[in-house]
């Protein structure tokens, strides 16, 4: 039996679409977060520990009273939703998240933590509503980069778009599966 070209094209399109839909492999977190803090270079290990501890205390826990321990006063912010300066960061954190106990690990699935020179990059799994099906969520990877200066975080970059509603939501709630 000979298939018509239009049927062959439809079959190829269905195969392509179904393989494309199944091709995304969602990111997953590492089983051992403590292993991510290791480095043969003591300075890099210390920088990773600083960022890791800050993440648990400030980002997750909302413990802004500890901000001076982790951030320089002149902290530079490249997220369009937060102004620069440690005081501005404290204000943003107080307005955007509840105070929670400091957990022993990062509660977002941690994909990787890398350090080079004075920079630390943290990759975590994030979740967002599926634009094709509002009843579902999809997993993606969120990146944060921090510059360390004299044992404190002096600068931050991430890949978040400008979002005026961010101040009125709990970012931890929107990034859970």
């Amino acid at each position: 039996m000979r298939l018509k070209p239009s049927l062959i094209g439809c079959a190829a399109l269905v195969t392509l679409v179904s393989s494309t839909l199944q091709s995304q492999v969602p990111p997953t977190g590492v089983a051992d977060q403590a292993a991510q803090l290791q480095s043969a270079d003591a300075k890099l290990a210390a920088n990773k520990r600083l960022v890791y501890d800050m993440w648990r205390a400030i980002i997750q826990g909302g413990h802004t009273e500890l901000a001076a321990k982790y951030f320089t006063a002149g902290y530079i912010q490249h997220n369009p939703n937060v102004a620069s300066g440690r005081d501005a960061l404290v204000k943003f954190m107080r307005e955007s998240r509840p105070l929670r106990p400091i957990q022993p690990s990062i509660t977002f699935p941690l994909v990787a933590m890398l350090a080079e020179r004075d920079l630390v990059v943290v990759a975590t799994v994030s979740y967002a509503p599926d634009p094709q099906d509002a009843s579902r969520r999809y997993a993606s990877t969120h990146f944060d980069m921090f510059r360390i200066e004299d044992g404190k975080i002096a600068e931050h970059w991430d890949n978040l778009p400008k979002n005026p509603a961010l101040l009125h939501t709990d970012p931890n709630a929107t990034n859970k599966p």
Side-chain angles (χ1 to χ4, degrees), residues 32-131:
D32 182 7
Q33 289 187 5
Q36 295 294 306
L37 303 176
Q38 304 302 313
S39 178
D41 182 321
K43 179 92 169 159
L44 296 180
N47 287 350
K48 289 198 285 186
R49 172 53 77 178
L50 172 74
V51 169
Y52 186 80
D53 290 345
M54 177 282 300
W55 194 288
R56 295 179 310 104
I58 307 283
I59 295 174
Q60 282 177 192
H63 286 271
T64 56
E65 76 278 6
L66 300 174
K69 176 180 177 180
Y70 296 107
F71 294 94
T72 64
Y75 168 72
I76 300 166
Q77 177 63 265
H78 297 288
N79 177 317
N81 300 296
V82 186
S84 287
R86 184 173 60 214
D87 292 343
L89 175 69
V90 166
K91 180 180 184 307
F92 173 80
M93 291 295 177
R94 284 185 178 154
E95 292 175 355
S96 67
R97 64 201 67 223
L99 188 63
R100 297 182 173 130
I102 298 173
Q103 299 299 314
S105 62
I106 293 177
T107 56
F108 292 121
L110 178 64
V111 174
M113 198 168 200
L114 308 165
E116 180 71 27
R117 299 181 324 271
D118 60 350
L119 300 173
V120 175
V121 176
V122 179
T124 57
V125 178
S126 65
Y127 300 90
D130 187 329

